[in-house]
Amino acid sequence: MKEIKLSKADARKLVTASQYHFNKNRFTEGVGGTYETIRHLGYVQIDTISVVERAHHHTLWNRHHSYKPQHLDTLQGKQRRIFEYWSHAAAYLPMADYRFCLPRMRRIRDNGIHWFPRDERMIRRVLDIIKTEGPKYAKDFKAPDHKSEPWWGWKPAKIALEYLFMEGRLMAAGRKGFQKIYDLAENVIPADTNTRMPTPTEMAGFLIDSGIRSLGLVSVKDIVYQRKDGIEKVETVLQRKQKKKQISAVRVEGVNDLYYTTPELVETLETETPVFLRFLSPFDNLVIRRQRAVELFDFNYQLECYVPAAKRKRGYFSLPILYRDRLVGTMDAKAHRKGGVFSIKSLHLDHRPEDEDVFLECFHRELRDFMGFNKCTELEVESTVSGFEKLFPK
Protein backbone atom coordinates (compact mmCIF):
# COMPACT_ATOMS: atom_id res chain seq x y z
CA MET A 1 0.00 0.00 0.00
CA LYS A 2 1.82 3.05 -1.30
CA GLU A 3 1.87 6.08 0.98
CA ILE A 4 1.15 9.58 -0.28
CA LYS A 5 3.67 12.25 0.67
CA LEU A 6 2.42 15.77 1.36
CA SER A 7 4.14 18.97 2.32
CA LYS A 8 2.85 20.74 5.41
CA ALA A 9 1.43 23.42 3.13
CA ASP A 10 -0.65 20.84 1.24
CA ALA A 11 -1.69 19.16 4.49
CA ARG A 12 -2.93 22.49 5.84
CA LYS A 13 -4.74 23.18 2.59
CA LEU A 14 -6.53 19.82 2.77
CA VAL A 15 -7.53 20.32 6.40
CA THR A 16 -8.73 23.91 5.93
CA ALA A 17 -10.77 22.98 2.87
CA SER A 18 -12.48 20.14 4.74
CA GLN A 19 -13.21 22.35 7.75
CA TYR A 20 -14.11 25.64 6.11
CA HIS A 21 -14.80 25.23 2.39
CA PHE A 22 -16.76 21.98 2.37
CA ASN A 23 -20.00 23.77 1.39
CA LYS A 24 -18.56 25.41 -1.71
CA ASN A 25 -21.04 25.18 -4.63
CA ARG A 26 -23.71 23.49 -2.50
CA PHE A 27 -24.36 26.08 0.15
CA THR A 28 -27.77 26.18 1.78
CA GLU A 29 -28.91 29.25 3.68
CA GLY A 30 -30.74 29.29 7.00
CA VAL A 31 -31.65 26.26 9.11
CA GLY A 32 -30.78 23.83 6.33
CA GLY A 33 -27.27 25.23 6.08
CA THR A 34 -26.80 24.94 9.82
CA TYR A 35 -27.84 21.28 9.75
CA GLU A 36 -25.52 20.57 6.80
CA THR A 37 -22.67 22.14 8.77
CA ILE A 38 -23.29 20.04 11.89
CA ARG A 39 -23.70 16.92 9.76
CA HIS A 40 -20.41 17.56 7.98
CA LEU A 41 -18.43 18.46 11.10
CA GLY A 42 -19.90 15.54 13.05
CA TYR A 43 -20.23 17.58 16.22
CA VAL A 44 -20.19 21.17 17.44
CA GLN A 45 -18.90 21.61 20.98
CA ILE A 46 -21.11 23.36 23.55
CA ASP A 47 -19.43 25.59 26.10
CA THR A 48 -20.62 28.00 28.77
CA ILE A 49 -17.95 30.70 28.43
CA SER A 50 -19.43 33.85 26.90
CA VAL A 51 -16.51 36.32 26.72
CA VAL A 52 -17.48 36.45 23.06
CA GLU A 53 -20.50 34.56 21.68
CA ARG A 54 -20.59 30.99 23.02
CA ALA A 55 -18.54 28.34 21.23
CA HIS A 56 -21.39 26.50 19.50
CA HIS A 57 -22.81 29.69 17.98
CA HIS A 58 -19.33 30.98 17.12
CA THR A 59 -18.25 27.74 15.40
CA LEU A 60 -21.40 27.59 13.28
CA TRP A 61 -21.40 31.29 12.36
CA ASN A 62 -17.79 30.99 11.23
CA ARG A 63 -18.82 28.39 8.65
CA HIS A 64 -21.72 30.43 7.26
CA HIS A 65 -22.52 33.96 8.28
CA SER A 66 -26.26 33.46 7.70
CA TYR A 67 -26.33 31.37 10.90
CA LYS A 68 -28.77 32.45 13.63
CA PRO A 69 -28.84 31.01 17.20
CA GLN A 70 -32.52 30.11 16.79
CA HIS A 71 -31.49 27.58 14.14
CA LEU A 72 -30.34 25.26 16.95
CA ASP A 73 -33.68 25.63 18.72
CA THR A 74 -35.47 24.65 15.51
CA LEU A 75 -33.20 21.71 14.72
CA GLN A 76 -33.25 20.36 18.26
CA GLY A 77 -36.72 21.22 19.52
CA LYS A 78 -39.02 21.24 16.49
CA GLN A 79 -37.33 19.13 13.84
CA ARG A 80 -35.43 16.70 16.13
CA ARG A 81 -32.59 16.55 13.59
CA ILE A 82 -29.87 17.18 16.17
CA PHE A 83 -29.41 16.17 19.80
CA GLU A 84 -27.05 16.84 22.68
CA TYR A 85 -24.63 14.30 23.99
CA TRP A 86 -20.92 13.71 24.49
CA SER A 87 -18.42 13.58 21.65
CA HIS A 88 -14.99 14.36 23.09
CA ALA A 89 -16.97 16.90 25.15
CA ALA A 90 -20.58 18.14 25.39
CA ALA A 91 -21.78 18.76 21.85
CA TYR A 92 -24.60 19.08 19.35
CA LEU A 93 -24.67 15.97 17.14
CA PRO A 94 -26.74 14.89 14.11
CA MET A 95 -29.63 12.65 15.14
CA ALA A 96 -28.59 10.40 12.24
CA ASP A 97 -25.50 9.51 14.31
CA TYR A 98 -27.42 8.72 17.51
CA ARG A 99 -26.62 5.00 17.50
CA PHE A 100 -22.90 5.70 17.70
CA CYS A 101 -23.41 7.19 21.16
CA LEU A 102 -24.94 3.96 22.45
CA PRO A 103 -21.64 2.27 23.43
CA ARG A 104 -20.79 5.16 25.76
CA MET A 105 -24.30 5.13 27.23
CA ARG A 106 -24.07 1.39 27.86
CA ARG A 107 -20.64 1.67 29.51
CA ILE A 108 -21.82 4.37 31.91
CA ARG A 109 -24.99 2.43 32.69
CA ASP A 110 -23.08 -0.83 33.28
CA ASN A 111 -20.25 0.70 35.32
CA GLY A 112 -22.43 3.02 37.37
CA ILE A 113 -19.59 5.54 37.41
CA HIS A 114 -19.40 8.97 35.84
CA TRP A 115 -18.22 12.12 37.64
CA PHE A 116 -19.92 11.52 40.98
CA PRO A 117 -20.94 8.52 43.12
CA ARG A 118 -24.19 7.03 41.86
CA ASP A 119 -27.25 7.71 44.06
CA GLU A 120 -29.77 5.09 42.93
CA ARG A 121 -32.53 6.39 45.18
CA MET A 122 -32.27 9.93 43.79
CA ILE A 123 -32.04 8.63 40.22
CA ARG A 124 -35.32 6.71 40.66
CA ARG A 125 -36.99 9.74 42.23
CA VAL A 126 -35.94 12.14 39.44
CA LEU A 127 -36.94 9.67 36.74
CA ASP A 128 -40.35 9.06 38.34
CA ILE A 129 -41.05 12.79 38.55
CA ILE A 130 -40.26 13.33 34.85
CA LYS A 131 -42.33 10.28 33.88
CA THR A 132 -45.27 11.62 35.89
CA GLU A 133 -45.02 15.38 35.41
CA GLY A 134 -43.20 15.75 32.09
CA PRO A 135 -40.05 17.66 31.03
CA LYS A 136 -38.09 19.48 33.73
CA TYR A 137 -35.23 21.92 34.20
CA ALA A 138 -32.60 21.20 36.85
CA LYS A 139 -33.87 24.28 38.70
CA ASP A 140 -37.27 22.56 39.11
CA PHE A 141 -35.62 20.30 41.67
CA LYS A 142 -35.06 22.79 44.47
CA ALA A 143 -32.16 22.41 46.88
CA PRO A 144 -33.12 22.70 50.57
CA ASP A 145 -31.60 26.19 50.82
CA HIS A 146 -32.96 27.19 47.36
CA LYS A 147 -29.48 28.28 46.31
CA SER A 148 -27.87 27.39 43.02
CA GLU A 149 -24.62 25.46 43.20
CA PRO A 150 -21.44 25.61 41.09
CA TRP A 151 -20.79 22.55 38.94
CA TRP A 152 -18.41 21.02 41.49
CA GLY A 153 -21.11 21.35 44.16
CA TRP A 154 -24.09 20.09 42.17
CA LYS A 155 -27.12 19.19 44.25
CA PRO A 156 -28.11 15.49 44.24
CA ALA A 157 -31.00 15.97 41.78
CA LYS A 158 -28.72 17.66 39.22
CA ILE A 159 -26.23 14.81 39.54
CA ALA A 160 -29.05 12.31 39.01
CA LEU A 161 -30.28 14.22 35.94
CA GLU A 162 -26.82 14.12 34.40
CA TYR A 163 -26.43 10.40 35.16
CA LEU A 164 -29.70 9.72 33.40
CA PHE A 165 -28.63 11.98 30.54
CA MET A 166 -25.27 10.25 30.12
CA GLU A 167 -26.92 6.82 30.35
CA GLY A 168 -29.32 7.86 27.60
CA ARG A 169 -32.53 7.45 29.58
CA LEU A 170 -33.04 11.23 29.54
CA MET A 171 -32.24 13.62 26.71
CA ALA A 172 -32.25 17.36 26.25
CA ALA A 173 -35.52 18.27 24.53
CA GLY A 174 -34.14 21.78 24.05
CA ARG A 175 -32.82 24.70 26.02
CA LYS A 176 -34.23 27.90 27.38
CA GLY A 177 -31.50 30.44 27.81
CA PHE A 178 -28.69 28.05 28.57
CA GLN A 179 -30.77 25.66 30.73
CA LYS A 180 -31.38 22.11 29.50
CA ILE A 181 -34.94 20.82 29.34
CA TYR A 182 -34.74 17.15 30.39
CA ASP A 183 -37.24 14.67 28.99
CA LEU A 184 -37.53 10.92 28.53
CA ALA A 185 -35.40 9.72 25.60
CA GLU A 186 -38.40 8.03 23.94
CA ASN A 187 -40.13 11.42 23.77
CA VAL A 188 -37.17 13.04 22.03
CA ILE A 189 -35.85 10.45 19.57
CA PRO A 190 -37.83 10.39 16.29
CA ALA A 191 -39.52 7.07 15.59
CA ASP A 192 -37.49 6.44 12.42
CA THR A 193 -34.09 6.83 14.17
CA ASN A 194 -31.76 3.86 13.96
CA THR A 195 -31.18 2.77 17.56
CA ARG A 196 -29.32 -0.49 16.87
CA MET A 197 -26.12 -0.90 18.87
CA PRO A 198 -23.15 -0.67 16.46
CA THR A 199 -20.62 -3.48 16.34
CA PRO A 200 -17.01 -2.57 17.19
CA THR A 201 -16.21 -2.71 13.47
CA GLU A 202 -19.11 -0.39 12.60
CA MET A 203 -18.07 1.99 15.37
CA ALA A 204 -14.48 2.13 14.12
CA GLY A 205 -15.67 2.71 10.56
CA PHE A 206 -17.88 5.57 11.72
CA LEU A 207 -15.05 7.24 13.65
CA ILE A 208 -12.69 6.96 10.68
CA ASP A 209 -15.17 8.14 8.05
CA SER A 210 -16.53 11.04 10.07
CA GLY A 211 -13.02 12.10 11.07
CA ILE A 212 -11.75 12.21 7.49
CA ARG A 213 -14.90 13.94 6.24
CA SER A 214 -14.59 16.66 8.84
CA LEU A 215 -10.83 17.12 9.20
CA GLY A 216 -9.63 16.01 5.76
CA LEU A 217 -6.54 14.37 7.19
CA VAL A 218 -6.51 12.28 10.38
CA SER A 219 -4.09 10.26 12.46
CA VAL A 220 -5.09 7.47 14.82
CA LYS A 221 -4.66 10.00 17.65
CA ASP A 222 -7.21 12.28 15.96
CA ILE A 223 -9.67 9.42 15.45
CA VAL A 224 -9.61 8.24 19.07
CA TYR A 225 -9.17 11.68 20.70
CA GLN A 226 -10.82 11.69 24.15
CA ARG A 227 -12.78 8.49 23.39
CA LYS A 228 -13.01 5.22 25.28
CA ASP A 229 -15.72 3.43 23.31
CA GLY A 230 -15.48 1.71 19.94
CA ILE A 231 -11.79 2.33 19.35
CA GLU A 232 -10.43 -1.21 19.67
CA LYS A 233 -11.00 -1.99 15.96
CA VAL A 234 -9.71 1.28 14.52
CA GLU A 235 -6.32 -0.06 13.36
CA THR A 236 -7.95 -3.15 11.80
CA VAL A 237 -10.56 -1.13 9.91
CA LEU A 238 -7.93 1.37 8.70
CA GLN A 239 -5.95 -1.48 7.15
CA ARG A 240 -9.08 -2.96 5.59
CA LYS A 241 -10.08 0.38 4.06
CA GLN A 242 -6.59 0.84 2.64
CA LYS A 243 -6.68 -2.58 0.98
CA LYS A 244 -10.01 -1.66 -0.61
CA LYS A 245 -8.47 1.68 -1.70
CA GLN A 246 -11.18 3.59 0.14
CA ILE A 247 -8.57 5.60 2.02
CA SER A 248 -4.89 6.40 1.55
CA ALA A 249 -2.06 6.58 4.08
CA VAL A 250 -0.28 9.94 4.12
CA ARG A 251 3.14 11.03 5.33
CA VAL A 252 3.35 14.73 6.09
CA GLU A 253 6.71 16.43 5.80
CA GLY A 254 8.34 16.84 9.21
CA VAL A 255 5.61 14.99 11.16
CA ASN A 256 6.07 11.55 12.73
CA ASP A 257 2.42 10.45 12.83
CA LEU A 258 0.90 8.59 9.89
CA TYR A 259 -2.24 10.26 8.53
CA TYR A 260 -5.16 9.05 6.43
CA THR A 261 -7.40 10.67 3.84
CA THR A 262 -9.41 9.70 0.76
CA PRO A 263 -8.21 9.78 -2.85
CA GLU A 264 -11.08 12.16 -3.66
CA LEU A 265 -9.90 14.69 -1.09
CA VAL A 266 -6.33 14.55 -2.41
CA GLU A 267 -7.68 15.62 -5.81
CA THR A 268 -9.04 18.82 -4.25
CA LEU A 269 -5.45 20.02 -3.72
CA GLU A 270 -5.57 21.21 -7.32
CA THR A 271 -8.07 23.92 -6.37
CA GLU A 272 -6.98 27.32 -5.10
CA THR A 273 -7.41 28.22 -1.43
CA PRO A 274 -9.87 31.11 -1.07
CA VAL A 275 -8.71 34.36 0.49
CA PHE A 276 -10.58 34.52 3.78
CA LEU A 277 -10.02 35.13 7.50
CA ARG A 278 -11.77 33.87 10.61
CA PHE A 279 -11.40 34.39 14.36
CA LEU A 280 -11.77 30.87 15.75
CA SER A 281 -13.36 29.81 18.99
CA PRO A 282 -10.81 28.01 21.23
CA PHE A 283 -13.26 25.08 20.95
CA ASP A 284 -13.44 25.16 17.14
CA ASN A 285 -13.10 21.72 15.53
CA LEU A 286 -10.01 22.90 13.66
CA VAL A 287 -7.95 23.64 16.80
CA ILE A 288 -9.50 21.53 19.55
CA ARG A 289 -6.59 19.04 19.59
CA ARG A 290 -3.71 21.37 20.41
CA GLN A 291 -0.89 19.01 19.42
CA ARG A 292 -2.37 18.67 15.94
CA ALA A 293 -2.18 22.46 15.53
CA VAL A 294 1.50 22.32 16.50
CA GLU A 295 2.30 19.49 14.09
CA LEU A 296 0.40 20.65 11.00
CA PHE A 297 0.16 24.43 11.47
CA ASP A 298 3.34 25.13 13.50
CA PHE A 299 1.01 26.94 15.88
CA ASN A 300 1.57 26.48 19.61
CA TYR A 301 -1.65 27.58 21.26
CA GLN A 302 -3.17 27.09 24.70
CA LEU A 303 -6.48 28.31 26.06
CA GLU A 304 -5.37 30.36 29.04
CA CYS A 305 -8.60 31.12 30.90
CA TYR A 306 -7.63 28.35 33.34
CA VAL A 307 -4.05 29.62 33.66
CA PRO A 308 -3.15 32.06 36.49
CA ALA A 309 -3.23 35.63 35.14
CA ALA A 310 0.47 36.21 35.78
CA LYS A 311 1.42 33.24 33.59
CA ARG A 312 -0.76 34.06 30.57
CA LYS A 313 1.06 34.78 27.33
CA ARG A 314 -1.83 35.47 24.94
CA GLY A 315 -4.69 36.46 27.23
CA TYR A 316 -7.71 35.08 29.07
CA PHE A 317 -9.70 33.94 26.02
CA SER A 318 -7.53 34.48 22.96
CA LEU A 319 -9.00 33.49 19.59
CA PRO A 320 -6.77 31.82 16.97
CA ILE A 321 -6.75 33.74 13.68
CA LEU A 322 -7.11 31.59 10.55
CA TYR A 323 -5.99 33.27 7.29
CA ARG A 324 -6.20 31.27 4.07
CA ASP A 325 -4.77 27.96 5.32
CA ARG A 326 -2.53 29.24 8.13
CA LEU A 327 -3.10 29.89 11.81
CA VAL A 328 -1.28 33.21 11.90
CA GLY A 329 -1.88 34.62 15.38
CA THR A 330 -4.37 35.33 18.15
CA MET A 331 -6.77 38.02 19.27
CA ASP A 332 -7.71 38.30 22.94
CA ALA A 333 -11.07 40.07 22.99
CA LYS A 334 -14.21 40.62 25.01
CA ALA A 335 -17.70 41.59 23.82
CA HIS A 336 -19.45 44.01 26.19
CA ARG A 337 -22.89 43.36 24.72
CA LYS A 338 -24.92 45.65 26.99
CA GLY A 339 -22.82 48.64 26.03
CA GLY A 340 -22.21 47.47 22.47
CA VAL A 341 -18.42 47.72 22.88
CA PHE A 342 -16.02 45.15 21.45
CA SER A 343 -12.72 45.30 23.30
CA ILE A 344 -9.46 44.01 21.82
CA LYS A 345 -7.11 43.38 24.71
CA SER A 346 -4.19 42.11 22.64
CA LEU A 347 -3.23 40.95 19.17
CA HIS A 348 -0.27 38.71 18.38
CA LEU A 349 1.00 37.77 14.94
CA ASP A 350 2.93 34.47 14.89
CA HIS A 351 3.25 34.13 11.11
CA ARG A 352 3.33 37.30 9.02
CA PRO A 353 1.56 36.69 5.67
CA GLU A 354 3.45 37.66 2.52
CA ASP A 355 0.38 39.50 1.20
CA GLU A 356 0.24 41.69 4.30
CA ASP A 357 -2.02 44.39 2.84
CA VAL A 358 -4.60 41.81 1.68
CA PHE A 359 -4.41 40.13 5.09
CA LEU A 360 -5.04 43.38 6.95
CA GLU A 361 -7.96 44.21 4.65
CA CYS A 362 -9.49 40.77 5.37
CA PHE A 363 -8.85 41.26 9.09
CA HIS A 364 -10.62 44.62 9.10
CA ARG A 365 -13.63 43.28 7.18
CA GLU A 366 -14.00 40.17 9.33
CA LEU A 367 -13.57 42.16 12.53
CA ARG A 368 -16.49 44.37 11.53
CA ASP A 369 -18.66 41.31 10.83
CA PHE A 370 -17.54 39.59 14.03
CA MET A 371 -18.42 42.65 16.08
CA GLY A 372 -21.90 42.60 14.54
CA PHE A 373 -22.27 38.91 15.34
CA ASN A 374 -21.42 39.79 18.96
CA LYS A 375 -23.96 42.66 18.97
CA CYS A 376 -21.26 45.32 19.23
CA THR A 377 -20.98 48.55 17.25
CA GLU A 378 -18.04 50.28 18.93
CA LEU A 379 -14.41 49.12 18.91
CA GLU A 380 -11.99 49.62 21.79
CA VAL A 381 -8.32 48.66 21.47
CA GLU A 382 -6.73 48.38 24.90
CA SER A 383 -3.07 47.49 24.53
CA THR A 384 -0.79 45.16 22.57
CA VAL A 385 -1.34 45.01 18.79
CA SER A 386 1.93 43.38 17.69
CA GLY A 387 1.92 43.04 13.90
CA PHE A 388 -1.22 45.14 13.42
CA GLU A 389 0.20 48.65 13.79
CA LYS A 390 -1.06 49.67 10.34
CA LEU A 391 -4.66 49.06 11.43
CA PHE A 392 -4.30 50.33 14.99
CA PRO A 393 -1.61 53.05 15.11
CA LYS A 394 -0.78 54.48 18.51
Side-chain angles (χ1 to χ4, degrees):
M1 293 174 284
K2 188 177 179 180
E3 295 175 353
I4 297 172
K5 294 184 179 180
L6 292 181
S7 65
K8 275 194 179 182
D10 278 343
R12 289 193 296 266
K13 184 176 181 179
L14 195 63
V15 170
T16 307
S18 296
Q19 274 285 299
Y20 270 90
H21 310 307
F22 58 87
N23 53 17
K24 189 178 180 182
N25 300 324
R26 63 177 184 82
F27 186 83
T28 302
E29 295 286 333
V31 175
T34 297
Y35 176 74
E36 286 179 8
T37 301
I38 297 171
R39 187 79 181 96
H40 177 86
L41 296 177
Y43 75 90
V44 174
Q45 183 168 334
I46 301 168
D47 197 78
T48 60
I49 298 174
S50 58
V51 175
V52 294
E53 185 59 87
R54 286 189 171 103
H56 39 293
H57 299 311
H58 187 171
T59 297
L60 289 166
W61 180 82
N62 262 357
R63 268 67 181 189
H64 68 114
H65 283 6
S66 70
Y67 168 77
K68 304 292 182 187
Q70 54 265 36
H71 293 175
L72 291 177
D73 296 333
T74 299
L75 289 169
Q76 182 181 23
K78 295 179 182 178
Q79 298 182 1
R80 305 292 198 211
R81 298 175 77 189
I82 64 172
F83 71 106
E84 292 183 39
Y85 195 63
W86 206 261
S87 176
H88 70 279
Y92 287 108
L93 306 161
M95 188 66 77
D97 294 343
Y98 172 81
R99 63 188 290 249
F100 297 105
C101 293
L102 293 174
R104 185 186 185 98
M105 294 176 183
R106 180 173 63 184
R107 172 173 56 82
I108 291 171
R109 183 175 63 248
D110 291 349
N111 292 349
I113 298 172
H114 191 36
W115 292 313
F116 300 97
R118 184 184 179 97
D119 185 340
E120 194 65 46
R121 179 174 171 275
M122 182 58 70
I123 285 173
R124 287 197 303 271
R125 177 175 176 269
V126 165
L127 192 59
D128 287 344
I129 288 173
I130 292 178
K131 285 179 178 179
T132 304
E133 300 179 14
K136 296 289 184 184
Y137 297 100
K139 66 182 180 181
D140 293 328
F141 298 88
K142 295 292 186 182
D145 58 4
H146 299 282
K147 293 180 180 179
S148 61
E149 299 283 353
W151 72 267
W152 61 86
W154 276 352
K155 56 193 177 186
K158 172 64 174 176
I159 296 172
L161 285 166
E162 282 301 300
Y163 257 120
L164 290 164
F165 174 80
M166 294 303 297
E167 287 181 353
R169 286 195 276 177
L170 295 183
M171 292 181 70
R175 285 179 182 257
K176 186 174 182 181
F178 201 63
Q179 301 299 310
K180 277 182 194 170
I181 305 169
Y182 294 89
D183 198 1
L184 301 175
E186 54 263 37
N187 295 338
V188 176
I189 303 171
D192 60 352
T193 302
N194 187 344
T195 58
R196 181 176 60 83
M197 179 70 71
T199 66
T201 298
E202 288 176 325
M203 190 71 192
F206 165 75
L207 294 175
I208 293 165
D209 292 344
S210 59
I212 292 176
R213 181 187 68 235
S214 171
L215 292 170
L217 198 65
V218 293
S219 66
V220 172
K221 291 176 185 176
D222 297 323
I223 295 167
V224 304
Y225 176 61
Q226 298 283 41
R227 293 181 184 273
K228 296 181 180 179
D229 309 285
I231 62 175
E232 62 270 21
K233 292 288 186 178
V234 164
E235 294 277 11
T236 301
V237 175
L238 281 170
Q239 293 177 16
R240 186 178 304 165
K241 284 179 173 289
Q242 286 182 82
K243 287 181 180 179
K244 293 181 178 180
K245 297 184 177 180
Q246 295 171 336
I247 63 173
S248 302
V250 177
R251 289 287 178 188
V252 178
E253 170 192 16
V255 181
N256 291 329
D257 286 340
L258 184 64
Y259 288 86
Y260 300 89
T261 190
T262 64
E264 293 78 15
L265 283 172
V266 173
E267 291 176 6
T268 66
L269 289 171
E270 300 299 321
T271 62
E272 188 175 350
T273 301
V275 179
F276 85 118
L277 184 145
R278 292 291 186 272
F279 305 111
L280 307 189
S281 165
F283 305 105
D284 191 283
N285 303 49
L286 184 68
V287 295
I288 194 61
R289 197 170 84 79
R290 310 301 184 208
Q291 188 57 35
R292 177 183 169 91
V294 172
E295 292 170 351
L296 296 181
F297 288 84
D298 299 315
F299 186 72
N300 191 359
Y301 167 75
Q302 179 185 8
L303 176 61
E304 295 179 342
C305 60
Y306 307 112
V307 174
K311 295 184 179 181
R312 292 174 191 150
K313 298 177 180 179
R314 296 178 181 267
Y316 179 81
F317 200 70
S318 61
L319 311 177
I321 302 170
L322 176 65
Y323 178 61
R324 294 182 183 263
D325 53 13
R326 293 299 304 269
L327 292 166
V328 298
T330 56
M331 176 176 71
D332 186 33
K334 179 175 177 60
H336 303 275
R337 296 173 188 83
K338 288 185 178 179
V341 176
F342 189 85
S343 175
I344 295 178
K345 298 179 179 297
S346 68
L347 282 163
H348 295 283
L349 195 59
D350 296 56
H351 302 289
R352 186 177 295 275
E354 293 181 4
D355 56 343
E356 184 177 357
D357 289 341
V358 177
F359 163 68
L360 292 175
E361 181 182 340
C362 287
F363 181 96
H364 184 268
R365 182 170 58 249
E366 186 64 15
L367 177 60
R368 179 194 61 208
D369 290 346
F370 192 60
M371 286 172 59
F373 169 62
N374 280 278
K375 299 179 177 62
C376 293
T377 56
E378 183 180 342
L379 177 64
E380 176 184 76
V381 180
E382 293 189 13
S383 57
T384 309
V385 293
S386 176
F388 297 84
E389 289 82 3
K390 286 185 180 180
L391 282 182
F392 308 111
K394 292 183 180 179

